[in-house]
Amino acid sequence: KKTYPHFVTFRKEEKDFAPTTRYKDYPINRTRLHWESQAATTQNSPTGQNYIHFKDRGYQILFFARLDKRVEGETSPFLFLGPAENLESYESNRPIKMIWDLKYPIPAELFEAAKAV
């Protein structure tokens, strides 16, 4: 299947993430998400083009999210947020800054915690 699963950790602690992987991923509202691609991805790269034209090329973009990498020393599980319905906008390179419209609302508790990060 033509699928890109994206795993998002909203709160990125310095001890867990290098400066180059501390992407600015955050919910704008319960159905809109700001997400940054991997640092090596440009708009003109094959992956960047697949993201930008995901509908035309038959790709699914799936989002999984968690607030923290660890809770009480244990790895936090990801929550499946569902598929992206639309790519609202994108800009820059390395990483590409993208705003995705989600098919389903982010659960209220996760949204409230993530927007406070």
Side-chain angles (χ1 to χ4, degrees):
K1 291 208 170 207
K2 296 170 118 183
T3 303
Y4 283 103
H6 296 314
F7 294 88
V8 177
T9 301
F10 290 120
R11 190 176 327 184
K12 296 176 177 74
E13 302 286 335
E14 286 185 30
K15 65 182 178 169
D16 294 326
F17 293 88
T20 56
T21 61
R22 231 175 288 137
Y23 305 114
K24 293 173 183 71
D25 303 325
Y26 56 88
I28 295 168
N29 60 41
R30 289 191 57 206
T31 57
R32 189 166 283 174
L33 179 68
H34 180 278
W35 177 83
E36 293 185 349
S37 69
Q38 291 183 322
T41 304
T42 66
Q43 290 183 28
N44 292 325
S45 69
T47 299
Q49 286 292 297
N50 287 341
Y51 291 161
I52 292 166
H53 303 289
F54 79 103
K55 284 185 179 180
D56 295 336
R57 295 182 176 191
Y59 280 90
Q60 277 197 77
I61 308 293
L62 304 177
F63 283 97
F64 299 80
R66 62 186 177 184
L67 185 60
D68 297 291
K69 184 173 181 177
R70 290 185 186 84
V71 173
E72 297 178 7
E74 299 292 326
T75 301
S76 296
F78 286 92
L79 176 66
F80 179 52
L81 300 181
E85 281 210 309
N86 186 47
L87 176 58
E88 183 68 30
S89 66
Y90 59 92
E91 64 182 15
S92 76
N93 280 306
R94 295 187 175 158
I96 307 170
K97 299 173 183 180
M98 302 178 149
I99 296 178
W100 295 96
D101 290 326
L102 304 176
K103 183 172 183 176
Y104 306 109
I106 297 169
E109 186 176 337
L110 178 59
F111 171 72
E112 291 298 326
K115 78 175 190 175
V117 170

